[in-house]
Coordinates of all heavy atoms in Angstrom, one line a residue:
P17 N -5.4 3.1 9.9 CA -6.4 2.2 9.2 C -5.7 1.3 8.0 O -6.2 0.3 7.7 CB -7.4 3.1 8.6 CG -6.8 4.4 8.4 CD -5.6 4.5 9.5
A19 N -2.6 0.1 8.3 CA -1.3 -0.7 8.8 C -1.2 -2.0 8.4 O -0.2 -2.6 7.9 CB -1.4 -0.5 10.3
E49 N 18.4 -3.6 5.8 CA 18.0 -2.2 5.6 C 17.7 -1.9 4.2 O 16.7 -1.3 3.9 CB 19.0 -1.2 6.1 CG 19.1 -1.1 7.6 CD 20.3 -0.4 8.1 OE1 21.1 0.2 7.2 OE2 20.5 -0.2 9.3
A79 N -21.0 11.0 -8.8 CA -21.2 11.8 -9.9 C -22.6 11.6 -10.4 O -23.2 10.6 -10.3 CB -20.2 11.1 -11.1

Side-chain angles (χ1 to χ4, degrees):
E49 288 174 0

